[in-house]
Amino acid sequence: MQSLLLGVAALACPVGMGVMMWMMMRDQSKDTAASEHYGGQQEVQALRAEIEELKARADRIAGGQ
């Protein structure tokens, strides 16, 4: 009986640590997915604005020659 309690006590720490890491990773993946979605939309908007700027610059160069 005493060896069973020692075995449970020895496994309590690694199992508890694993559960805590799993819970933190799960919460972090939800936050990351949401931030990537919104961050991706902002990046697309910035790239579209840059494309429009480059098109306008190319039109000015082509019109000047």
Side-chain angles (χ1 to χ4, degrees):
M1 183 68 176
Q2 189 176 12
S3 63
L4 178 64
L5 290 175
L6 288 174
V8 170
L11 290 175
C13 183
V15 170
M17 184 66 72
V19 169
M20 286 191 294
M21 288 175 58
W22 175 73
M23 290 175 66
M24 290 182 355
M25 292 287 286
R26 186 182 62 165
D27 291 343
Q28 186 179 19
S29 67
K30 288 179 184 176
D31 294 341
T32 303
S35 66
E36 284 178 358
H37 176 69
Y38 294 119
Q41 287 179 349
Q42 290 174 347
E43 186 175 357
V44 168
Q45 289 174 349
L47 290 171
R48 285 182 178 156
E50 186 176 352
I51 289 171
E52 292 302 318
E53 181 183 335
L54 291 172
K55 282 181 182 178
R57 200 179 292 176
D59 288 344
R60 284 195 306 261
I61 291 172
Q65 291 180 351

